[in-house]
Amino acid sequence: MKQHHTSDGFQRYKAVRKHTERLCSNLQTEDFVVQASEEVSPTKWHLAHTTWFFETFLLKPHLSSYTEFHPRYSYLFNSYYNAVGARTHRFHRGLMTRPTVSEIMAYRAHVNQEMEILLSIRQGEEIDSLLELGINHEQQHQELLITDLKYNLSYNPLHPEVLDIGEYLSEQQQGWETIPEGAYEIGFSGDGFSYDNEHGRHKVLLEAFNISKALVTNGEYLEFIRAGGYQNVDLWLSDGWDWAKKNNMKHPLYWWERDGGFQCYTLAGMKKLDPDAPVAHVSYYEAAAYAEWAGCRLPTEFQWEAASDRLDWGQRWEWTNSAYLPYPRYQKALGAIGEYNGKFMINQMVLRGASVATPEGHSRSTYRNFFPP
Amino acid sequence: MKQHHTSDGFQRYKAVRKHTERLCSNLQTEDFVVQASEEVSPTKWHLAHTTWFFETFLLKPHLSSYTEFHPRYSYLFNSYYNAVGARTHRFHRGLMTRPTVSEIMAYRAHVNQEMEILLSIRQGEEIDSLLELGINHEQQHQELLITDLKYNLSYNPLHPEVLDIGEYLSEQQQGWETIPEGAYEIGFSGDGFSYDNEHGRHKVLLEAFNISKALVTNGEYLEFIRAGGYQNVDLWLSDGWDWAKKNNMKHPLYWWERDGGFQCYTLAGMKKLDPDAPVAHVSYYEAAAYAEWAGCRLPTEFQWEAASDRLDWGQRWEWTNSAYLPYPRYQKALGAIGEYNGKFMINQMVLRGASVATPEGHSRSTYRNFFPP
Amino acid sequence: MKQHHTSDGFQRYKAVRKHTERLCSNLQTEDFVVQASEEVSPTKWHLAHTTWFFETFLLKPHLSSYTEFHPRYSYLFNSYYNAVGARTHRFHRGLMTRPTVSEIMAYRAHVNQEMEILLSIRQGEEIDSLLELGINHEQQHQELLITDLKYNLSYNPLHPEVLDIGEYLSEQQQGWETIPEGAYEIGFSGDGFSYDNEHGRHKVLLEAFNISKALVTNGEYLEFIRAGGYQNVDLWLSDGWDWAKKNNMKHPLYWWERDGGFQCYTLAGMKKLDPDAPVAHVSYYEAAAYAEWAGCRLPTEFQWEAASDRLDWGQRWEWTNSAYLPYPRYQKALGAIGEYNGKFMINQMVLRGASVATPEGHSRSTYRNFFPP
Amino acid sequence: MKQHHTSDGFQRYKAVRKHTERLCSNLQTEDFVVQASEEVSPTKWHLAHTTWFFETFLLKPHLSSYTEFHPRYSYLFNSYYNAVGARTHRFHRGLMTRPTVSEIMAYRAHVNQEMEILLSIRQGEEIDSLLELGINHEQQHQELLITDLKYNLSYNPLHPEVLDIGEYLSEQQQGWETIPEGAYEIGFSGDGFSYDNEHGRHKVLLEAFNISKALVTNGEYLEFIRAGGYQNVDLWLSDGWDWAKKNNMKHPLYWWERDGGFQCYTLAGMKKLDPDAPVAHVSYYEAAAYAEWAGCRLPTEFQWEAASDRLDWGQRWEWTNSAYLPYPRYQKALGAIGEYNGKFMINQMVLRGASVATPEGHSRSTYRNFFPP
């Protein structure tokens, strides 16, 4: 990863760590524990795993005086880094009642103290670069924490209100931009932080195209539903149709049909559907079916990046019609860090932009997010 | 159900309710929440569901001044009584972070207060009989709470120690009893409490048989393992073999192979296997395979009941070679209470006796416990 | 198994073998091959497996001049006799295109010839007894062949007509019989053939009961459907309700709703539902729900056997409210033959009687058929 | 699709149709019926479905005198064209014993006769274009027929020998080609037949790269196996590792470990592994893991197409590191024909080239084959 000189490294570290905890300030102890599906993690686990990252990649190798907080935590809070050793089965994360929330808060405090020591006595590129990676890793988990928390709490019949991040911003640019034919530079350049999957900056030829400045709104999506979009096989990719039928989809996740209208579950509680807000939590399959219905296509990630200067992006992650595959000259990093991105380059589609859950300073136009369709 | 005159009804009620809470006194808040499989329930849920039972079947119909604690709890804590209305999906019990543990404790306190009022102003057979049923229901859930808690916490890599109920008692009677041929009376008679599935007392002809006074010990079961019991298809029922292969069984649940020997997870922590303690947590399939290997058969529930006076039973629930089916003249009770037993009379085998987790005063020789094999 | 002196052993053998082939005389080659679920077998397989039985248990051990027809058939046509060696995975039976139907017919002819030689030169109790078992085994498979064939061909959108066994007999006895209280002898006695699961004749005490002489008709079952039987949870066992919901059951297997009425698939083609014919192909769960709706209970297998002399049974296998469990003094036979019955004594309910698919001479009042509910 | 002037249309039609039947000339009737998984089809089905295509898209709309062969075949042999009406459940294809093989051969003959009439009296671009599509469709199914037949018969413990297409050609070009940086034209141009997914010819910028002229051989792949390739998580994509573990993969499909070496099932029977033949039947996951181990990457489909003139391709379909996604300006055709390609553009990777099972004249360098990884 590209490094970032951090004279004020510990200040940034502290601010990011605090922000993570602030996201949880309205949670009850019980809310931290649960895991509603294999794909999501408990809040408690995010708090511990991000801490484990600093302990494993910074403190243990670089601070000789460091003593680990608990001998089993390394096993418990490893996520998918096979190179670092055995780890607990992913779906059992939600069954770990111990360590408790307060023990994990103590773990965070311990690692914070030791990080302060480390950063006061050790300097140089390697430390800077690992710190930068750890901070970005925690920021990424802030977004995951919010996303997973929403999913976990959505199973709660009492619909708890725990966090207001303005999921319902509704002001948007309008109209379309025309991007001319040309060879566009794609991929990261510059000094700031970036992930390895953005590297390998290269030229891509694009034909001229139009791209909408506005995101699809709830109101527009509702028209698609009312026009029978979920029942019209011709609009769907074959796998998308199977997915929609198997899961009995009739509207996006978190929409609830009530008294003829729709409500949405948000972390700030149940809300009446706002027709002007951009639609959220749609799968690639739903996005592609909507586009087919609307007579459009999803942009490729190259089209999106080429147009990004002219878009006011950042409210929703935007599906692109590009599979998540390596750029030319892509190289996996050596060791455990190399497991970060490369091994997921199959069966996923790229999303570009950022969302209201993305922490400030953690987005850029070359960022490649990815999810299964 | 047979009734039981309870001049001191509220005292008994209070004692049983307190005992439930005492079982949880060493738990952390997080321990109350989790649910490791669809077949078990979170501790929190047991605390609330037993309370819901008193609220639904005693307070709401019989105490006109009663106001319910929370309008949604009736939906949340109904277990399987279809007659009482909609209920939450069973496997989502472990995702209900709210109500919190302390809210449920407040719910218990509220219902306790109102029960005191009800029992001070209303009397008679119907109330007595429902109270008795509610108390027995809570006692049954005390045992389930312990059983489920053990299962839920067993997934916890830190093996918490939370309760010592003496799972490891090892003194037992020795030798065999011979029971002569005869017609034996089977089923409940007398004044105390009993479930509808014990009623229909009737005579059963038995041929003479021998029955062991001692339970199978861990040591004996270990011999079966060492003799290749889990690899010898001839010892197993066909479904049992499939079950053992599918689940890759090599020893009973909660045994852990470590350094050539075995340890057992108990609610009082990890323990070295005690060869003299009776084996626990074996399925019907394992019990039947062991019996085949030992050249014996499991007794029928009628043989067990006929011999029960001569046995020192009560340490372990004992599998019998009888399917759970209705006695002659069995009648489902009317309404929701009728869902208690009858509809489970298929695909289950009867267990007789009681275990160390059974609350005092909640066992009798005609009690028919039942589980899938 | 009890033996049966067969001076005319080969004549009986030949007649039974021919009957099996006659059942298939209207099949196309393709019809012999398919297997619509793991629980059923292809027709071809029944033809070969019954032949394998004679080859394995009679010819190989008792006819020294015998040379096996094909070295791999022993592996291919073993069903579940683990003691006899490896066998092919059950669900792959329907993928075995080779040996072809005509090769299997040649296999049958070969074994028939050799059996004639064996029976002409060897005599005695052991041979008689094995021959009797083999004949009964083939008769049992005649019924299975018909049952499986119906299931396999029912997936065929063209509804082939291949066999007329009078599935639609509609004349029945009417009225009820009262059976007095008493100790009844249960289990096989006498000289003829019988299975080990019928042995252990013993007395069972029964209270007085009434039993219907008539089977439930399609018309009566239709009333149950029209009264909302499949939607009324109160009528169903808990597992039965889950089964009915999971499989979206709205009527018995092989009924097809067409133009407001019902048609039934039979091996003689699609037929309009005959309201006077006894209902067929209902699961235990459906039978129990119907009985609950009609205010009756299913008889136990002991009640059925005690009443059997007064019933005109034999049109349909009749579910009883008894689990398939061993009689007193039940002993598994030694060796492979011992795998015949004992290991299935779990999770199954007993059926008594016989059906229109049961070959003549293969039914008796002590016969214990069994199936999962 | 691009059209192709066919003065000799019927001759080509007849030759292709005959070739399909010739592929089946050594099959037994039983071999035509089976279907070993949902992803494959019975041989019989391919024979009928290709015929249905001509009946549905040519004869019914364009030959007024045409009478359909059987009123139900349209339902039975539709594959996935939702626009054309209901169709049978895909996994039940292997249960259709009727129509029989000889009935399907009669269906083929009937359609052939009528096609001769149609082509003698009707001419013009539309007919030519549909004929061309039907011929290419049948050629595509010739390859599928071979592929599926191999899979279906591989479950047969007797390993039938039915077809010799030279699966084991072993002469190959050696060495590497260097392709210079440049803008390459990608996609179909010219007069011959092509699919809609090849259209939208456009320029793609490529950096300079090297590409191997030789395919990976069985011997090389064996080295990867011997080096622990299937046990080394670092070589695998994350989904690939899960797939390999779940399916307990230790070598490619159709390899059988025997006496320390490997044999391969081919349609010409079991063969000893030829170390010089190119490896076949590897998944994308296996190809990617091998490439990682060998220090290479799979080419993109653009790299492959740019280099194709310098490669002697055609022995094996070659995985590329490109997802199957639309080219610029891609348009689904209207109506049922539009379901041919577009709706599969997700979750699949592109393969380029052709294989020994590809019929002559049915391959070109712009052809985009696709499969799930």
Side-chain angles (χ1 to χ4, degrees), chain A residues 42-56:
Chain A
T43 306
K44 219 174 72 168
W45 190 88
H46 287 296
L47 292 172
H49 168 70
T50 48
T51 306
W52 167 90
F53 193 98
F54 289 109
E55 187 183 53
T56 303

Side-chain angles (χ1 to χ4, degrees), chain A residues 30-31 34 94 97-98 101 156, chain B residues 30-31 34 94 97-98 101 156:
Chain A
E30 291 86 343
D31 298 329
V34 296
T97 63
R98 317 286 182 93
V101 174
N156 206 314
Chain B
E30 291 86 342
D31 298 329
V34 296
T97 63
R98 317 287 181 93
V101 174
N156 205 315

Side-chain angles (χ1 to χ4, degrees), chain C residues 26 28-31 33-36 70 72 76 92 94-101 153 155-158 160 162, chain D residues 28-31 33-36 70 72 76 92 94-101 153 155-158 160 162:
Chain C
N26 294 322
Q28 299 288 338
T29 301
E30 291 87 343
D31 297 330
V33 179
V34 296
Q35 176 182 27
H70 190 289
R72 298 284 286 157
L76 298 180
H92 294 167
L95 302 176
M96 272 199 270
T97 62
R98 317 286 181 94
T100 62
V101 174
L153 294 188
Y155 278 83
N156 205 315
L158 298 180
V162 298
Chain D
Q28 298 288 337
T29 302
E30 291 86 343
D31 298 329
V33 179
V34 296
Q35 176 182 28
H70 191 289
R72 299 282 287 157
L76 297 180
H92 294 167
L95 302 176
M96 272 200 272
T97 63
R98 317 287 180 95
T100 62
V101 174
L153 295 188
Y155 278 83
N156 206 315
L158 299 180
V162 297

